[in-house]
Amino acid sequence: MSTTKQARAVFCCTECGYESPKWLGRCPECASWNSFVERARERNGARGNGTTRISGVAPVEMAALPDEDEPRTPLGIPEFDRVLGGGLVCGSLSLIGGDPGIGKSTLLLQAAGRLAEGGRSVLYVSGEESARQVKMRAARLGLPGERLFVLTETNLNAALAQVEALSPSLVVIDSIQTVYSESAEQAPGSIVQLRQCTMELMRWAKGTGVPVFLVGHVTKDGEIAGPRLLEHIVDVVLYLEGERFSSYRLLRGVKNRFGSIDEVGVFEMTEQGMRGVENPSEAFISERARDGIGSVVIPTLEGSRPLLVEVQALTSPTVTPAPRRTANGLDISRLLLVSAVLSRRLGESLAQQDVIASVVGGLRVAEPPADLAVALAIVSSQRDRPVPGDLVAFGEIGLSGELRSVGQLERRLAEAERLGFGRCVLPEANLRRGKPKTGLDLLPAATLREAVRLALQ
Ligand code: TYD
Ligand code: MG
């Protein structure tokens, strides 16, 4: 009872770190076989023994704290800084995730290069590529390499010992899956190692004030390193996304302890690395055929950023017993819903038609307001009638064919107006609380049937 520390044997899964009071053949957490080892766990007898831990930190009255935001160092890449909330915060630990080959290393090396050009030193710890490979990439990106240090070390403790001598303004760990900490026995990339390394980096970043960026590969099921476990530890989580055959990349904030997660950065992967796209709406609709059949533009929202994207649909007589529905960059369940409503409520004969719907440019539009654009594109293709080139449309479609209001109306309208569109088909419900200020001609519709009539007269 009165002991402050108590040693207790526990069994621990070497793959995921799951703890159990008894040995298990199969881990209930990660389903690995024979992965349990026994280890003694130091238990702090904090509960029940009446002792109080004394720490050196005193409570601070909030009113006495400074008003300003955390001081930030801009990276000098506007699309990147926007997602970070203005720049790097001292001592922050950030994670950038994404599929292999999507451009994480490229983007971070460019950011490192910018800081170095601005007179700061940066350490790039590469566990994946040799120093020469990193150098070749830097050369391709046009980075001179002064003050840009590369370290090919997978022992995290050794790497951090090196950092102290350099005192850099940023440390990049590429990737967290390749480094290991001496205080855990598991292999690099195992969940125990990932957690241990990330926690050590967090302590280190907070202790030294040096911001750290981690690269994390996304596993097949789309999560960074298994059960999203790093996301809880780090301050900032960003994902770099894009379709394989498209050159556009979206940098999206998923968590940010120092800013909003509503921001996205848009890049294009070029021969000279990632180039920020200043006017993404213009880029995404630039190749659109005016008065195209089966093509509709929707002002969608990525976080709080409006983006115009083109939705296309093609219907063609099916040759399979059951007609097929294919969605690229759209939610397949929304496409099924839209097709079903078109068949049942509007009498469009889609029963013998394959329907393919895509978002142009390799973007993903998952929000329900895209329903109306998808529906109009399908009807336009099916009836071989063009949607006017100056028209945009959005609205969520309900099962009885009604149009439901969408959020952020004014942002959507403003973006469409800025890019020279003249008309907008939108849910009537959106105008119930007054007419928004816009130069666009508004064509309100209560139902999908009405919207089709307005758009395809
Ligand atoms: P990379 O940054 O290595 O991806 P990640 O770190 O996310 O795995 O990017 C790899 C791809 O990017 C590779 O297919 C080559 C391409 N690339 C360019 O197109 N332009 C460039 O300037 C660079 C450096 C890479
Ligand atoms: Mg890489």
Side-chain angles (χ1 to χ4, degrees):
M1 266 294 273
S2 60
T3 53
T4 48
K5 278 183 178 174
Q6 199 178 5
R8 201 172 73 128
V10 291
F11 293 86
C12 174
C13 172
T14 52
E15 287 301 318
C16 73
Y18 181 86
E19 291 183 353
S20 156
K22 60 182 200 297
W23 188 85
L24 299 172
R26 185 165 190 245
C27 176
E29 179 77 21
C30 68
S32 308
W33 291 94
N34 287 325
S35 58
F36 277 81
V37 293
E38 182 178 349
R39 57 160 54 167
R41 183 169 69 170
E42 291 277 290
R43 281 209 101 205
N44 239 322
R47 205 182 301 150
N49 63 9
T51 59
T52 316
R53 250 181 59 215
I54 296 170
S55 80
V57 186
V60 187
E61 192 179 5
M62 277 199 217
L65 289 169
D67 286 331
E68 320 86 69
D69 192 13
E70 307 267 350
R72 293 169 192 271
T73 312
L75 292 170
I77 302 180
E79 293 291 310
F80 201 159
D81 285 329
R82 159 205 287 274
V83 181
L84 288 174
L88 286 171
V89 172
C90 269
S92 60
L93 181 62
S94 312
L95 173 68
I96 180 164
D99 291 335
I102 200 78
K104 303 180 293 296
S105 304
T106 305
L107 185 59
L108 284 180
L109 193 57
Q110 280 178 274
R114 275 295 163 84
L115 286 175
E117 275 169 23
R120 300 159 188 275
S121 56
V122 179
L123 180 68
Y124 196 100
V125 180
S126 175
E128 307 217 320
E129 283 152 307
S130 68
R132 194 174 282 262
Q133 280 171 310
V134 179
K135 158 86 195 180
M136 271 163 54
R137 188 195 299 252
R140 185 173 169 183
L141 298 171
L143 303 174
E146 276 133 32
R147 293 176 293 277
L148 191 52
F149 295 87
V150 57
L151 175 66
T152 47
E153 173 67 82
T154 53
N155 179 331
L156 182 65
N157 310 95
L160 291 181
Q162 299 272 353
V163 182
E164 259 137 62
L166 266 179
S167 71
S169 314
L170 171 69
V171 173
V172 177
I173 309 280
D174 188 358
S175 65
I176 189 68
Q177 273 103 345
T178 51
V179 293
Y180 67 93
S181 157
E182 286 165 356
S183 52
E185 297 133 31
Q186 289 78 7
S190 67
I191 291 177
V192 176
Q193 278 290 0
L194 289 171
R195 182 155 43 196
Q196 182 64 28
C197 290
T198 308
M199 288 195 313
E200 281 178 27
L201 281 164
M202 188 71 169
R203 264 197 300 274
W204 184 85
K206 295 284 173 276
T208 58
V210 177
V212 177
F213 240 105
L214 308 177
V215 171
H217 293 297
V218 170
T219 55
K220 274 175 251 112
D221 33 24
E223 294 186 330
I224 293 182
R228 296 197 164 255
L229 101 159
L230 304 187
E231 290 190 2
H232 301 299
I233 309 173
V234 301
D235 298 310
V236 177
V237 180
L238 311 177
Y239 278 89
L240 190 61
E241 299 172 354
E243 294 289 323
R244 206 189 159 94
F245 297 108
S246 154
S247 56
Y248 291 111
R249 303 283 182 266
L250 247 56
L251 184 65
R252 203 190 291 277
V254 174
K255 166 179 174 178
N256 192 346
R257 286 190 180 142
F258 316 108
S260 132
I261 52 163
D262 275 349
E263 294 289 352
V264 288
V266 184
F267 294 92
E268 189 177 3
M269 181 60 109
T270 68
E271 283 297 303
Q272 288 82 42
M274 302 272 267
R275 197 177 54 81
V277 180
E278 275 160 40
N279 195 344
S281 293
E282 194 174 275
F284 291 137
I285 56 172
S286 62
E287 291 175 31
R288 181 169 181 243
R290 279 227 138 197
D291 286 344
I293 290 176
S295 154
V296 180
V297 170
I298 167 179
T300 182
L301 281 161
E302 280 293 347
S304 62
R305 189 173 192 184
L307 289 180
L308 291 189
V309 297
E310 179 186 355
V311 174
Q312 290 187 332
L314 181 68
T315 56
S316 73
T318 186
V319 289
T320 49
R324 282 184 297 188
R325 308 284 181 245
T326 312
N328 300 315
L330 291 160
D331 197 345
I332 183 75
S333 60
R334 302 300 309 179
L335 175 61
L336 293 173
L337 179 147
V338 169
S339 309
V341 172
L342 282 172
S343 301
R344 294 278 286 112
R345 307 279 173 216
L346 276 80
E348 289 297 321
S349 45
L350 296 174
Q352 298 303 318
Q353 300 281 330
D354 287 341
V355 179
I356 306 168
S358 314
V359 176
V360 179
L363 290 197
R364 255 200 85 72
V365 179
E367 57 162 13
D371 290 352
L372 180 58
V374 174
L376 293 177
I378 294 174
V379 177
S380 159
S381 166
Q382 176 73 351
R383 298 188 189 169
D384 250 334
R385 292 186 65 155
V387 176
D390 69 335
L391 184 130
V392 295
F394 51 79
E396 179 179 348
I397 297 176
L399 291 183
S400 26
E402 81 279 18
L403 284 188
R404 297 166 169 267
S405 64
V406 306
Q408 312 255 33
L409 180 66
E410 307 211 334
R411 285 209 173 131
R412 294 176 200 266
L413 296 175
E415 184 72 354
E417 194 178 348
R418 189 174 74 82
L419 281 133
F421 285 83
R423 287 181 281 172
C424 176
V425 180
L426 75 171
E428 192 176 55
N430 261 118
L431 304 183
R432 286 201 192 125
R433 266 179 272 141
K435 195 176 169 292
K437 264 201 223 110
T438 174
L440 295 178
D441 271 343
L442 298 182
L443 308 173
T447 62
L448 177 56
R449 185 182 292 277
E450 265 179 69
V452 168
R453 198 171 40 77
L454 289 168
L456 299 170
Q457 311 148 329

